[in-house]
Amino acid sequence: MSVPTIFFPGDQLISMGLKLSDQVHYQSEPEELVEDTLRLDQGILNDTGALVIETGEFTGRSPKDKFIVQDEISEGAVHWNEFNLPIHEEYFFAVKKQITDYLSERPEIWVRDAFACADPRYRMAIRVVNEHPAINLFAYNMFIRPTEEELENFEPEWTILSAPGLKLDPVVSGTRQHNAAIISFKYKTVLIAGTGYTGETKKGIFTVLNFILPKDHNVLSMHCSANMGEQGDTALFFGLSGTGKTTLSADPARRLIGDDEHGWSDTTIFNFEGGCYAKCINLSEEKEPQIFSAIRPGALVENTRFYPGTRTINFDDGSITENTRVSYPLDYISNALEPSVGPAPKNIFFLTCDAYGVLPPISRLSPEQAMYQFISGYTAKVAGTEAGVTEPKATFSACFGAPFIPLHPALYAEMLGEKLRSGEVNVWMVNTGWTGGPYGIGNRIKLGYTRAMISAALDGSLDAVETVVHPVFGMKMPVRCAGVPSELLDPRKTWADPAAYDEKAEELAKRFINNFKKYEAGTPASILAAGPKLRF
Ligand code: ATP
Ligand code: MN
C-alpha cells in the first residue's frame, strides 16, 4: 500500500464523509496502479505491457441512468429530455451517503487530483475517488495531470465518487435501476454507482463543462476532435460515436490537440482532457499506426480478448463488446501538442458514418447548410447485426452530442453560427460510412481514401476543384481529389442501380426533414432552406 504523500488531502476527504484509515492511495503513479490492479486480480498485462481489464456488466455508457439534480441552478437552465433526466436533491444525498459508506468500508481506495481544460483561463480542478485502481488509472490517463507545485495548493472544485461494486436500491435512490450517474451543479459532484464503465467518468465531466462553459464563460463546448497543421491551422472533427473523430485526428502530418472534447473561446481551441479514448475493434498497425503503438505500459485496454494461449490481443474479437477501448495520455501520440491549445479553426469537418451509402464521401457546406447539419447531427449505425438484421438505423443527435449537452441545442448552434459568420472557416461533410450501396450491398469507404480527402481539404487543393451540387442534399461535391478514384466522389455513380440510389436518398431526406420538424419553430428560414429537398 502506498504511503500517503505530503500533499495528502486527509481533512478534505473526511469532510466528504469518508472515514480515513490507511486505506487511501493518493495520487499513485501509473506503475503503482497497474501493480495494484494485478495484485487484486482485476487485470492482466498484454504482450506489449498495457493493462487489460474487463469492465463487467457495463461495457458502454448507460444514458437512461444518467441524472441531473433538479435545483435552483439547473431547474430553469437545463433542457430536460431523455438524456437530461431530473432527480430530486434528496435522492442525491441518499446515493451520496450509500457511496461514501460503501467506499469507507473498502479495504483500499484510490484518490486522484487532476484538471480539466487545457486553457488556463477555464481550468477546472477535479478530485476523483475510486473503488478500483484501474479506473483511477483511467482518470490519470484522461484528465490533465497536475505538476507537483500545482498539487501543493490543490483546491478541488468538482468531485467524482465512483463505486462500481455498489448496487443501488432504486426505491431509496430514486433511480431507474441499480446503476446511476448523478450530477449536482450545486454541490459540484458527480456520483457514479453500479457501473464499472470508465467512460462514465469522462462523459460526466464533459456534461458538466457543456453546462458551465457556454452559460458562464461564453465558450462553445464541442463533441469533436482537433488537430493543427504545420502552418498553425486548426481543424475540428465533429461526429457521433464511431464516425472517426479519434481515428482521423491521429494524423502523423499534424499535431494532435485532442480526440473528443474541446472548447472554442474568443481566441482558442482547447482540449478538456489530457488523454485519448480510442476504439480498438479491428485495430491494425497498418491502418492506425499511432493508436496501435499507444498500446504499451500505462495504457488501459478494456474488454478485449487474447488469442488463445497467448497475451496477444485479438482486436478483431468483439465477443465481449464491439465497444472495446484503450485510454492513454495524449503524449502517447508522438506529435501531440502540449499544452493542447490551438488557434480558432480554419476547417471544420462533420463526420457521419452513413450506412445507407447516400451521402458523398466529401462535400463542402455553405454556412446555412453547416447549421442545418449541426442541429441535425446525423449518423446511421448498423442495427442488430447479432440477430441477422442488417438494416441501417438512422440517428439524429443534436450538435453531434445530444447525450452530453445539458442546455438547449439551439444555444450551442447559435454560438457556432456566430463563430462561422465572424471567421473564414470552411465546413466539410465527410461520410466515413458506406459507398457503392447501403450496408449489405456496398462497403465502408477505405480509411486511406477518407484520409486522402481530408488532406486535400486541409492543404487547400480542393478549393480550385470544380464541384457538382448534390440533387437532394444540396452540398457541393468535388469532382476530383488526389489519391481517390474520381468515381467514388459522387455516391450515385458508385451504386449499381442509380434508381435505387435515388430512392434511398429520398428516404434519407425524409428522415432528415421529419427529425428537423421539432426545430422548425425557432430556426431562421435561411437555415430551414438549407435542408434536403424532396423531388417526388
Ligand atoms: P467515440 O465518440 O465513440 O470516441 P469516434 O468518433 O472517436 O467515436 P473512432 O474511434 O475514430 O470514432 O472510430 C471509427 C472506427 O471506424 C474506427 O474503428 C476506424 O478504424 C473505423 N473506420 C473504418 N473506415 C473508416 C473511415 N473511412 N474513416 C474513419 N474511420 C473508419
Ligand atoms: Mn473517440
Side-chain angles (χ1 to χ4, degrees):
M1 208 169 293
S2 62
V3 181
T5 73
I6 45 167
F7 310 124
F8 180 67
D11 296 348
Q12 291 165 9
L13 289 174
I14 291 171
S15 71
M16 276 161 47
L18 288 167
K19 268 184 269 155
L20 202 58
S21 61
D22 60 356
Q23 65 165 170
V24 180
H25 302 260
Y26 176 65
Q27 216 69 5
S28 302
E29 292 298 319
E31 301 76 36
E32 298 173 279
L33 295 168
V34 169
E35 268 172 36
D36 292 344
T37 302
L38 299 176
R39 168 172 56 82
L40 296 168
D41 216 8
Q42 294 174 356
I44 313 179
L45 294 181
N46 83 326
D47 57 6
T48 64
L51 181 62
V52 182
I53 61 161
E54 290 189 17
T55 61
E57 183 186 355
F58 294 93
T59 56
R61 286 178 303 104
S62 189
K64 288 189 178 132
D65 302 298
K66 185 180 153 203
F67 301 88
I68 296 176
V69 180
Q70 203 163 23
D71 56 29
E72 55 275 26
I73 299 175
S74 64
E75 177 114 58
V78 168
H79 178 54
W80 302 104
N81 62 11
E82 77 264 40
F83 300 114
N84 298 315
L85 303 167
I87 194 165
H88 198 281
E89 192 171 278
E90 80 187 58
Y91 291 126
F92 168 79
F93 289 127
V95 173
K96 185 170 178 232
K97 172 129 190 11
Q98 289 176 74
I99 294 182
T100 48
D101 286 353
Y102 175 84
L103 290 176
S104 296
E105 286 157 13
R106 296 306 100 199
E108 301 172 68
I109 59 169
W110 288 262
V111 177
R112 172 166 307 284
D113 291 341
F115 294 115
C117 297
D119 186 326
R121 292 176 294 171
Y122 310 107
R123 202 157 77 169
M124 192 169 95
I126 302 168
R127 172 159 300 155
V128 191
V129 183
N130 293 112
E131 174 186 358
H132 296 311
I135 304 187
N136 201 252
L137 177 62
F138 179 81
Y140 174 88
N141 286 348
M142 294 306 297
F143 292 125
I144 296 171
R145 293 156 289 279
T147 62
E148 295 234 338
E149 294 94 76
E150 287 168 334
L151 276 182
E152 258 174 84
N153 302 307
F154 196 92
E155 287 283 341
E157 190 188 349
W158 276 79
T159 305
I160 303 173
L161 299 178
S162 158
L166 170 66
K167 288 199 189 312
L168 297 171
D169 174 350
V171 177
V172 299
S173 309
T175 53
R176 186 178 73 108
Q177 51 179 37
H178 61 276
N179 64 298
I182 304 177
I183 297 171
S184 163
F185 287 104
K186 188 163 150 194
Y187 298 102
K188 299 189 173 180
T189 299
V190 181
L191 303 176
I192 300 169
T195 169
Y197 183 62
T198 59
E200 297 282 3
T201 301
K202 85 176 216 113
K203 284 301 197 311
I205 290 298
F206 187 40
T207 305
V208 168
L209 291 167
N210 284 331
F211 184 82
I212 293 171
L213 291 175
K215 207 166 76 61
D216 300 345
H217 300 284
N218 197 30
V219 169
L220 173 61
S221 56
M222 306 173 291
H223 187 214
C224 69
S225 61
N227 64 20
M228 194 178 87
E230 271 170 25
Q231 316 296 324
D233 60 302
T234 305
L236 304 180
F237 303 82
F238 287 86
L240 293 167
S241 187
T243 58
K245 292 183 299 301
T246 300
T247 305
L248 297 170
S249 59
D251 176 346
R254 298 173 64 83
R255 317 278 315 261
L256 179 68
I257 298 177
D259 81 326
D260 199 52
E261 309 172 2
H262 292 83
W264 187 345
S265 73
D266 48 354
T267 52
T268 59
I269 292 297
F270 63 93
N271 196 349
F272 294 168
E273 304 180 285
C276 297
Y277 193 39
K279 281 186 194 299
C280 292
I281 195 76
N282 305 133
L283 184 67
S284 75
E285 183 166 22
E286 181 213 345
K287 287 193 206 136
E288 297 178 65
Q290 290 193 312
I291 295 171
F292 192 88
S293 74
I295 300 185
R296 55 181 141 123
L300 177 64
V301 181
E302 301 173 19
N303 300 317
T304 56
R305 287 198 195 280
F306 297 118
Y307 288 105
T310 75
R311 293 288 179 89
T312 304
I313 297 170
N314 177 359
F315 290 110
D316 297 330
D317 186 336
S319 61
I320 300 179
T321 173
E322 286 284 311
N323 189 32
T324 55
R325 293 272 182 171
V326 57
S327 65
Y328 45 85
L330 266 172
D331 63 10
Y332 277 34
I333 298 286
S334 56
N335 55 352
L337 184 66
E338 289 214 46
S340 15
V341 184
K346 227 182 124 197
N347 288 281
I348 292 177
F349 297 89
F350 292 159
L351 307 176
T352 180
C353 178
D354 176 22
Y356 291 100
V358 166
L359 295 179
I362 189 158
S363 58
R364 192 190 275 271
L365 304 182
S366 70
E368 292 75 27
Q369 288 170 343
M371 293 307 295
Y372 186 93
Q373 292 296 337
F374 185 67
I375 296 166
S376 297
Y378 166 73
T379 197
K381 294 183 190 131
V382 182
T385 38
E386 317 83 35
V389 184
T390 55
E391 259 301 285
K393 190 177 178 318
T395 308
F396 292 94
S397 183
C399 312
F400 296 103
F404 324 114
I405 54 170
L407 304 171
H408 194 283
L411 205 131
Y412 307 90
E414 273 160 28
M415 289 180 84
L416 181 70
E418 206 171 295
K419 290 181 184 296
L420 293 185
R421 280 192 297 276
S422 66
E424 290 263 302
V425 44
N426 306 307
V427 186
W428 309 87
M429 184 136 199
V430 171
N431 176 9
T432 64
W434 267 253
T435 177
Y439 179 86
I441 299 174
N443 296 297
R444 194 156 182 193
I445 190 155
K446 287 200 171 76
L447 182 51
Y449 290 151
T450 301
R451 288 199 204 275
M453 288 183 275
I454 285 173
S455 299
L458 287 170
D459 70 19
S461 57
L462 287 186
D463 291 349
V465 173
E466 190 191 323
T467 58
V468 288
V469 171
H470 191 279
V472 179
F473 284 87
M475 53 273 271
K476 289 182 175 167
M477 308 182 287
V479 299
R480 277 183 312 281
C481 177
V484 183
S486 295
E487 59 272 21
L488 281 186
L489 296 173
D490 181 346
R492 191 171 187 269
K493 292 186 182 151
T494 69
W495 284 48
D497 178 1
Y501 176 83
D502 292 339
E503 204 177 299
K504 202 50 107 186
E506 197 83 355
E507 183 192 322
L508 182 60
K510 281 184 186 148
R511 290 179 197 273
F512 267 84
I513 291 165
N514 278 337
N515 170 66
F516 214 88
K517 286 208 171 98
K518 56 181 174 287
Y519 306 115
E520 263 169 23
T523 304
S526 60
I527 296 174
L528 291 176
K533 307 270 179 310
L534 297 177
R535 292 182 297 175
F536 309 112

